[in-house]
Amino acid sequence: MLTKETVKAMARKTGFDLVGITGAAPLLSLVPVLEERQRRGREPEFVSGTIEERITPKLFFPEAKSVIMTALNYYNPAIREKPLHGKLSRSTWGRDYHRVMGEMLERLGQSLTQLEPGFKYKAFVDTGPLVERELARRAGLGWIGKNCALITPEFGSWVFLGGIAVNVELPPDSPLNQSCGSCRRCLDACPSGALEEAHCVNPRRCLSYISQKKGYLGLEERKLLQGRLYGCDTCQEVCPVNHKVAQETGNAAFRPLPHVYLSLAEIVTMDNKQFKEWLGPTAAAWRGKTNLKRNAVIALGNGGDPEAIPLLLAALKDPSPIIRGHAAWALGSFAGNEAGTGTALQKALKKETDPMAKRELLNALEVRTNR
Ligand code: B12
Ligand code: SF4
Ligand code: SF4
């Protein structure tokens, strides 16, 4: 018979940093939290599943009797910031964790199938409906920080979560009896005020979400993003637990790939082939090329470095109206009357057919006249 010890040993052998077990009972304590989010229209558009599906392992895998929760440490020390370069969250520095962890979970499931006749499982990492932080908390992997992250005593919050629902009953682990205490550094450091109170993030104000949202961003959102190209690490970077326990990942798949050193110029001008080659293997690609280019244009505008101006003038001719529109805004945000910019904006306005991009061009020209 499959024992908890065998399962854990196999998970470690597969390469997981942490493993814990919880039952398949629904995550009932989340119901009021999820209802409130729905009522206030706060769920990101890419979150799938009804509340019932998000809290019920048996709706995900009808034969589920237990859930094996795993964590992978993905921490890498900071990369030195450079002018005219943007910022990617650490979760996107290495290979896409959905693939890396998904493959590992499948391997774990297959190994357990070899050991136990009739063993069945279904794996999930991030894109499934189940709320993984709560499953991980219940499986004793860590506690929920005031920044909403699952914080582990071994690696802090720099861990990806994933699991397999299984058709065998395993003795569950107990949740940890740990908390953030009186600390509130993440609440004070969140640049957008998305952490409205302890354990409660407003997803629509979270810069991680804003960086992933498609289309035109509002003026406040553009300013708040600063140089972020994808994701936001601020509430984890300030966390004293992370300062104390974070350790460089031992998983080669999560070491930084060359894309983390790309300049904003390279991102703003990349074509489809470069996008696929540079970002395709990472988790920063799933919202598409235009999103990253848009965020790079915004970073150039926020950076205020005059070297950005020729790049932004070129971006006024980009095939995507979203890039043209944000480039107009970025040019409008430069303080002086840089030679040629006004004329370039006027010229672009004459040719522009997209109503939103046209509005951005008009706004940029108005900002410059009023200066
Ligand atoms: C949608 C989503 C987002 C959205 C919304 C996030 C949110 N917190 O609501 C956005 C795009 C903003 C986002 C951002 C990030 N995400 Co995200 N995201 C998800 C996803 C797909 C679903 C999350 C969800 O349904 N949340 C519902 C809410 C209710 O639960 P929760 O926020 O996850 O967590 C807890 C608290 O809200 C808490 N809670 C609520 N009320 C109360 C009250 C009290 C008193 C207490 C104690 C607790 C408490 O209970 C919840 C569970 O225990 C999960 C994967 C998954 N399927 O679970 C990944 C996931 C949560 N994300 C992850 C990551 C890494 C991030 C980012 C760090 C990425 C980045 N660097 O930009 C940021 C962190 C932002 C933050 N501070 O939460 C990891 C988390 C790893 C970890 N160690 O915690 C996950 C688990 C993906 C994975 N498989 O690894 N994410
Ligand atoms: S990820 Fe950034 S914006 Fe979102 S809650 Fe944390 S600090 Fe705030
Ligand atoms: S910064 Fe402080 S309050 Fe926020 S998650 Fe870390 S320990 Fe908890």
Side-chain angles (χ1 to χ4, degrees), residues 110-296:
Q110 289 301 322
S111 310
L112 296 174
T113 310
Q114 306 287 313
L115 294 178
E116 175 85 358
F119 179 84
K120 285 191 199 153
Y121 69 93
K122 190 170 173 192
F124 56 90
V125 46
D126 200 25
T127 50
L130 293 170
V131 179
E132 292 162 358
R133 283 170 167 165
E134 180 59 12
L135 284 168
R137 186 198 66 77
R138 228 171 56 171
L141 295 191
W143 74 95
I144 304 291
K146 288 182 190 171
N147 61 3
C148 292
L150 188 278
I151 305 182
T152 70
E154 296 85 352
F155 306 102
S157 61
W158 303 111
V159 289
F160 296 127
L161 303 175
I164 55 176
V166 302
N167 69 339
V168 291
E169 194 142 1
L170 296 161
D173 288 302
S174 306
L176 302 184
N177 189 17
Q178 259 173 284
S179 75
C180 295
S182 59
C183 177
R184 48 167 294 126
R185 273 196 219 175
C186 52
L187 303 177
D188 296 336
C190 174
S192 64
L195 290 173
E196 292 177 340
E197 50 188 290
H199 313 111
C200 177
V201 68
N202 175 351
R204 298 239 168 216
R205 269 198 84 77
C206 177
L207 296 174
S208 181
Y209 166 70
I210 291 170
S211 71
Q212 296 174 54
K213 186 171 140 180
K214 293 200 174 182
Y216 281 89
L217 296 186
L219 295 183
E220 194 199 3
E221 292 176 325
R222 296 176 203 177
K223 281 280 165 216
L224 285 169
L225 270 187
Q226 289 296 321
R228 291 177 181 81
L229 300 176
Y230 187 100
C232 170
D233 277 345
T234 305
C235 57
Q236 298 189 85
E237 283 174 342
V238 298
C239 177
V241 182
N242 283 344
H243 293 172
K244 203 165 149 197
V245 303
Q247 36 181 309
E248 193 166 341
T249 177
N251 193 326
F254 298 141
R255 294 272 154 68
L257 292 169
H259 73 290
V260 300
Y261 305 103
L262 289 174
S263 65
L264 291 173
E266 286 168 304
I267 295 178
V268 170
T269 57
M270 73 186 164
D271 58 25
N272 283 341
K273 192 168 162 268
Q274 288 165 325
F275 170 68
K276 277 192 193 137
E277 188 185 321
W278 294 339
L279 290 134
T282 81
W286 82 290
R287 300 298 278 170
K289 181 176 72 151
T290 304
N291 253 44
L292 286 164
K293 279 189 155 197
R294 176 203 65 194
N295 295 347

Side-chain angles (χ1 to χ4, degrees), residues 26-27 30-31 34 37-38 43-62 67 69 98 122-135 161-163 165:
L27 310 169
L30 285 187
V31 173
L34 292 170
R37 281 162 68 109
Q38 233 174 41
E43 289 294 0
E45 58 279 15
F46 44 77
V47 167
S48 63
T50 60
I51 291 182
E52 231 191 327
E53 284 163 340
R54 293 173 73 187
I55 63 160
T56 317
K58 277 184 192 291
L59 287 179
F60 173 72
F61 180 53
V67 181
M69 283 306 295
H98 303 93
K122 190 170 173 192
F124 56 90
V125 46
D126 200 25
T127 50
L130 293 170
V131 179
E132 292 162 358
R133 283 170 167 165
E134 180 59 12
L135 284 168
L161 303 175

Side-chain angles (χ1 to χ4, degrees), residues 328-344:
W329 165 82
L331 283 165
S333 71
F334 275 87
N337 247 347
E338 291 74 18
T341 306
T343 324

